[in-house]
Amino acid sequence: MKQLFALLLCCQLAYAQPQPQHNLHFNTLAHSWDEAMPLGNGILGALIWEKNGHLRFSLDRADLWDLRPMKGLDRKEFSYKWVQEQVAKKDYGIVQEYFDAPYEEQAAPCKIPGGALEFDTRQWGAATSVQLDIKKAVCQVAWKNGVTLTTFVHATDPVGRFRFEHAGKDFQPLLIPPAYAGDARQAAGGSVAGDDLARLGYEQGHVNSNGQTLTYLQKGWNGFEYEIAVTWKRVAGDAIEGVWSISSHYPGEKAVRASRVAGARIQQPYAKDYTQHIRWWQQFWQQSAIRLPDSLLEKQWYLEQYKFGSVARSKSPVITLQAVWTADNGRLPPWKGDVHNDLNTQLSYWPSYSGNHLEEAQSFTNWLNKVKGTSKNYTQQYYGSSGLNVPGVQTLDGQPMGGWIQYSCSPTVSAWLAQHFYWQWKYSMDSNFLRRQTWPWIKETAAFLESVTIKNAAGQRQLPISSSPEFNDNNITAWFPQTTNYDLSLMRYAFSIAAETAGSLSLPAEAAHWKAVLHSLPPLALSPAGEMLIAPGEPYTHSHRHFSHMMSVYPLGLVRMENGEKEQAIIRNSIHLLDSIGPRGWCGYSYSWLGNMKARAWDGEGAAAALRIFAKAFCLPNSFHANGDQTKSGYSGFTYRPFTLEGNFAFAGGLQEMLLQSYAGYIHVFPAVPSSWQELSFDKLRAEGAFLVSAARSGGQVTQVTIAAEKGGKARLKLPFRTWYPYREQGVIAKELKDGFMEITFRKGGSIQLNNGYE
């Protein structure tokens, strides 16, 4: 009987793979690019929608960038010390003029769009079915007259493919370039609305036709150019198959032209590409799965996993604000589509670690290492220091872009980024990664922070001036004379993991040094009521989108429920203050972040409520995060709709935090699920230590936990039931401890399955 029960649970977990109810399905094509059906493979992207009676594929490539330097950042005044001097003189206007204003005034550097394919569908009648099958990453459209389309962006290769059935003899795609030509004197749209493309000053490229092939070559800034190509052929019956590609060409770099890629690929059978594509996505979906009683949250999680799989590969560029789905509206994307490291890049990778997508997560750490030399040059230029820091706002090649200088040149950016190197190691236990990537990044970051800080009268280490994104925006009051909780938390974290990683590499002198530096920092600033402050003497008094003062709760985990009543009270009081002041200043990603924090506070009801608001009020019909409250229900004072991805992915991370936590040194299953969630399960979420965990809950009780060890080693499990029995054991030694925990020693590849004894 017990074996049958375990088998049923395994079947439930298998069922939790993407199902038809997780797909996007509409009765008509979207009429806006930001509500389109998204396809992508980390380097290429497409949005499928309708514009003026034409089916439109908005085409994009992740490395299409105008990389001209941001004006002003080559000034001799561009230095942390000079900014300190202006703050001391209370003469801040010149700082804004030199380093803040150009970001808004200049169209570039920026991400640029690719182009579009259009197909005249006016004779086909209305579209009757539009579906995105996320399990296969395939979009299918059917029209009233019987024409059908199947299209996908190949999972691993730089091509998109399409197949029309019954399209007729007059089939003729159109290749539509972006409108780069025009009046360059047009008013700037600002960072949210985006500048008109004409402000880039490009000479408009031309579309060339050669039989059943169209190509477009666009020249950009300083020798950069890109090419789009589409080619098609008629196959058996009245079907038409086509291939499109985009290639980018930077001076000195070799790349195969899109016309050659498409021309060669059209000779390969469509079915072969389709099979290869499906095989990759099958492997992707085998990495993890969930099953929830809340259909809204479950569907949103699967859509977020799909989007993450569409924008991240180990060798693709970092996930920028819109990744491979740049705005197709004749303008540059919101906030220039840039690399924002004051929240956006970091949140975008939150779900990848416990979600068991470490390979895709390496798109971040690989890219950071690729531009590390540029970051070190910036560190020397702006801070006059050795070690490593990273611009808070960057171009694709790592150059600083300026903007609000407190955040775009914050001294603790590389400390936050260090967490992703640390997580990549902790979740994989890859000793080579620790030695070659994690330790160098953390050590150089810690060395920089040690050099840039000073000792105050009490002998405590602090920053000369400090900030907290994005409190007080970009005026002089955004600088605090004492270290903010944001900066302090990140410094405490950097020195802490420096000591830990040095110890793991058997470097006792290094470990002792960083522990000593850690102990020289002041404690977090708290109010008399035990709430986290922005900075000493600066309480959280108004609603704000960025919970930077609470970094120590999430994502850093320095203040923990596991540490006892005192820290539990700090966490609960601080979250209560956020809720009490309200969400007027919040964006969609604020709710995603709040969901993560409430999960860490073991508040399942609160976490689920925050994530539910995000899904229903801050997402467009295709699941894109639109920043503002689209329902105008009072969930935010922002009701605009600029699309960025970090809220989407932070949502998925928050849901995973509800199901599994391991940051405190032990595995905790279902730490923060609502009591009403009686039936749920997850399969192969990843815990720190390279353990894959599956668990199920039925009738409100945990019924099964399975742990498998990739690398071996010891794991502590917080037992979720009073009595238990092992259903399967292989390569393990398990010992129940008196404090409600189990210590399990695994050989590499070992596993154990525990079932509830119901006693």
Side-chain angles (χ1 to χ4, degrees):
M1 185 66 180
K2 290 179 178 178
Q3 291 182 355
L4 176 60
F5 181 69
L7 178 62
L8 291 173
L9 287 173
C10 291
C11 292
Q12 289 176 340
L13 292 172
Y15 171 79
Q17 293 293 323
Q19 299 295 310
Q21 66 266 24
H22 302 135
N23 294 336
L24 293 175
H25 191 276
F26 305 102
N27 295 325
T28 185
L29 284 160
H31 290 82
S32 173
W33 70 270
D34 56 4
E35 296 185 9
M37 294 296 203
L39 303 169
N41 67 3
I43 190 67
L44 293 185
L47 296 167
I48 313 301
W49 56 297
E50 182 180 297
K51 183 178 182 180
N52 299 328
H54 288 65
L55 171 69
R56 187 173 177 97
F57 290 15
S58 301
L59 309 182
D60 195 15
R61 183 178 166 109
D63 58 359
L64 301 184
W65 269 75
D66 185 310
L67 291 173
R68 72 186 76 181
M70 181 63 73
K71 289 186 177 180
L73 301 191
D74 57 349
R75 291 178 177 271
K76 62 181 177 57
E77 294 91 347
F78 184 60
S79 74
Y80 188 47
K81 182 179 180 181
W82 183 82
V83 173
Q84 293 172 42
E85 293 170 351
Q86 309 320 302
V87 172
K89 293 189 299 185
K90 301 189 185 305
D91 182 19
Y92 202 65
I94 193 169
V95 178
Q96 295 170 317
E97 177 187 347
Y98 285 178
F99 308 130
D100 297 346
Y103 184 89
E104 292 290 342
E105 294 171 352
Q106 305 300 317
C110 60
K111 175 74 176 70
I112 59 176
L117 293 178
E118 284 195 354
F119 307 86
D120 190 346
T121 62
R122 289 173 292 181
Q123 303 303 313
W124 299 357
T128 57
S129 175
V130 183
Q131 175 170 279
L132 177 64
D133 184 336
I134 66 169
K135 188 173 184 178
K136 298 178 180 179
V138 170
C139 179
Q140 297 172 309
V141 185
W143 284 267
K144 189 174 182 179
N145 73 338
V147 176
T148 61
L149 162 70
T150 301
T151 184
F152 59 94
V153 172
H154 194 286
T156 59
D157 297 343
V159 294
R161 299 222 54 163
F162 56 84
R163 179 182 173 92
F164 287 93
E165 301 279 358
H166 317 302
K169 296 182 179 180
D170 298 328
F171 179 86
Q172 178 65 45
L174 301 172
L175 181 47
I176 311 296
Y180 289 116
D183 186 354
R185 296 171 298 175
Q186 295 180 78
S191 59
V192 177
D195 287 335
D196 191 283
L197 294 175
R199 294 196 70 234
L200 295 173
Y202 295 171
E203 180 181 345
Q204 186 73 52
H206 298 283
V207 176
N208 295 309
S209 177
N210 182 12
Q212 295 184 153
T213 297
L214 300 173
T215 59
Y216 174 74
L217 181 67
Q218 178 62 56
K219 295 182 181 297
W221 178 81
N222 197 32
F224 169 72
E225 61 185 32
Y226 70 88
E227 184 179 73
I228 305 176
V230 58
T231 186
W232 65 95
K233 64 181 180 180
R234 191 170 293 277
V235 292
D238 56 358
I240 295 168
E241 295 175 356
V243 178
W244 63 268
S245 185
I246 309 178
S247 57
S248 63
H249 305 272
Y250 288 92
E253 294 184 1
K254 293 183 179 180
V256 179
R257 294 280 175 180
S259 50
R260 288 188 59 188
V261 172
R265 205 49 171 257
I266 195 67
Q267 305 303 319
Q268 180 166 300
Y270 173 90
K272 181 178 180 180
D273 270 348
Y274 186 84
T275 300
Q276 293 172 345
H277 169 77
I278 297 299
R279 186 178 300 121
W280 187 92
W281 279 95
Q282 285 175 337
Q283 294 173 348
F284 176 84
W285 288 115
Q286 289 171 4
Q287 295 303 106
S288 59
I290 67 169
R291 183 178 64 90
L292 304 179
D294 188 315
S295 59
L296 174 67
L297 297 187
E298 180 179 287
K299 180 175 181 177
Q300 189 75 30
W301 184 83
Y302 276 101
L303 288 169
E304 306 308 3
Q305 298 300 305
Y306 165 76
K307 291 197 291 295
F308 189 80
S310 299
V311 301
R313 298 290 187 278
S314 63
K315 296 182 180 179
S316 67
V318 60
I319 299 173
T320 54
L321 294 177
Q322 295 86 23
V324 294
W325 298 309
T326 302
D328 183 11
N329 58 359
R331 308 191 73 82
L332 296 174
W335 298 286
K336 303 178 187 291
D338 60 29
V339 183
H340 253 63
N341 294 317
D342 73 343
L343 176 149
N344 305 81
T345 54
Q346 293 95 325
L347 270 63
S348 290
Y349 289 92
W350 279 0
S352 59
Y353 304 99
S354 65
N356 198 21
H357 291 295
L358 297 187
E359 182 177 349
E360 289 77 20
Q362 287 184 6
S363 64
F364 198 16
T365 51
N366 287 346
W367 180 82
L368 287 169
N369 274 323
K370 181 179 179 181
V371 300
K372 186 175 180 180
T374 303
S375 295
K376 295 187 75 170
N377 290 339
Y378 153 80
T379 305
Q380 183 63 52
Q381 176 194 9
Y382 184 69
Y383 288 97
S385 173
S386 58
L388 175 66
N389 196 26
V390 177
V393 183
Q394 286 180 287
T395 61
L396 186 68
D397 61 351
Q399 298 290 344
M401 292 178 62
W404 293 2
I405 203 78
Q406 299 91 338
Y407 327 118
S408 65
C409 296
S410 164
T412 53
V413 173
S414 62
W416 194 347
L417 300 177
Q419 183 171 56
H420 292 270
F421 286 90
Y422 177 80
W423 274 346
Q424 187 70 235
W425 166 56
K426 289 292 283 189
Y427 281 90
S428 70
M429 298 310 294
D430 184 335
S431 58
N432 287 328
F433 188 89
L434 168 64
R435 184 174 61 257
R436 296 175 181 175
Q437 298 195 47
T438 301
W439 170 241
W441 186 280
I442 292 173
K443 178 182 179 180
E444 291 178 68
T445 295
F448 161 74
L449 290 171
E450 184 180 19
S451 71
V452 80
T453 49
I454 58 176
K455 292 288 187 71
N456 61 23
Q460 295 176 322
R461 190 176 293 277
Q462 69 171 64
L463 290 168
I465 53 175
S466 182
S467 65
S468 188
E470 296 164 330
F471 283 90
N472 298 342
D473 297 337
N474 67 329
N475 62 54
I476 194 171
T477 63
W479 288 112
F480 295 87
Q482 298 185 68
T483 306
T484 63
N485 273 345
Y486 170 79
D487 282 335
L488 177 59
S489 295
L490 285 166
M491 289 194 295
R492 295 187 70 87
Y493 183 79
F495 296 137
S496 175
I497 61 175
E500 179 185 349
T501 50
S504 296
L505 290 168
S506 300
L507 301 170
E510 290 268 16
H513 174 75
W514 296 121
K515 286 180 182 178
V517 177
L518 172 63
H519 292 151
S520 71
L521 295 173
L524 291 173
L526 302 175
S527 72
E531 301 149 341
M532 292 184 182
L533 303 177
I534 309 303
E538 297 287 341
Y540 179 85
T541 58
H542 63 278
S543 181
H544 197 278
R545 60 194 171 275
H546 199 306
F547 303 148
S548 52
H549 64 301
M550 295 183 64
M551 288 285 292
S552 56
V553 177
Y554 196 88
L556 303 180
L558 300 174
V559 179
R560 306 175 174 182
M561 298 292 286
E562 294 85 351
N563 287 351
E565 294 182 1
K566 182 178 178 180
E567 293 192 12
Q568 290 174 8
I570 293 172
I571 293 170
R572 288 171 176 151
N573 291 341
S574 300
I575 292 176
H576 176 71
L577 182 61
L578 287 179
D579 287 336
S580 298
I581 290 177
R584 180 167 181 78
W586 297 1
C587 290
Y589 64 70
S590 309
Y591 282 95
S592 295
W593 193 343
L594 185 63
N596 281 274
M597 285 200 294
K598 290 194 172 185
R600 283 286 175 92
W602 302 337
D603 177 6
E605 281 75 11
L611 297 180
R612 206 173 286 119
I613 290 171
F614 171 83
K616 73 180 182 181
F618 292 86
C619 292
L620 300 173
N622 64 349
S623 80
F624 277 4
H625 164 230
N627 274 269
D629 176 6
Q630 302 305 297
T631 66
K632 297 179 173 60
S633 301
Y635 295 121
S636 172
F638 296 105
T639 57
Y640 60 174
R641 58 183 284 162
F643 157 55
T644 57
L645 279 163
E646 75 292 322
N648 288 120
F649 298 141
F651 166 95
L655 192 48
Q656 290 161 208
E657 286 288 336
M658 295 172 66
L659 302 177
L660 176 69
Q661 294 178 20
S662 60
Y663 76 108
Y666 64 86
I667 294 170
H668 190 175
V669 299
F670 303 122
V673 299
S675 58
S676 60
W677 287 13
Q678 298 285 296
E679 313 287 331
L680 68 153
S681 61
F682 64 84
D683 188 26
K684 290 194 295 187
L685 294 184
R686 182 176 285 266
E688 290 189 6
F691 299 107
L692 297 179
V693 184
S694 303
R697 175 167 152 148
S698 181
Q701 296 187 59
V702 178
T703 53
Q704 180 193 96
V705 177
T706 301
I707 305 174
E710 278 190 344
K711 299 293 176 69
K714 287 186 178 181
R716 281 170 58 88
L717 169 68
K718 184 175 182 179
L719 285 169
F721 21 64
R722 291 184 179 180
T723 61
W724 55 273
Y725 66 93
Y727 177 61
R728 290 192 184 94
E729 291 179 301
Q730 181 179 350
V732 302
I733 299 174
K735 179 174 65 174
E736 186 171 351
L737 307 176
K738 293 181 179 179
D739 57 0
F741 287 81
M742 173 179 283
E743 183 178 271
I744 312 170
T745 303
F746 292 87
R747 292 202 303 265
K748 182 179 180 179
S751 64
I752 187 170
Q753 179 178 311
L754 303 174
N755 290 347
N756 194 329
Y758 292 101
E759 293 181 9

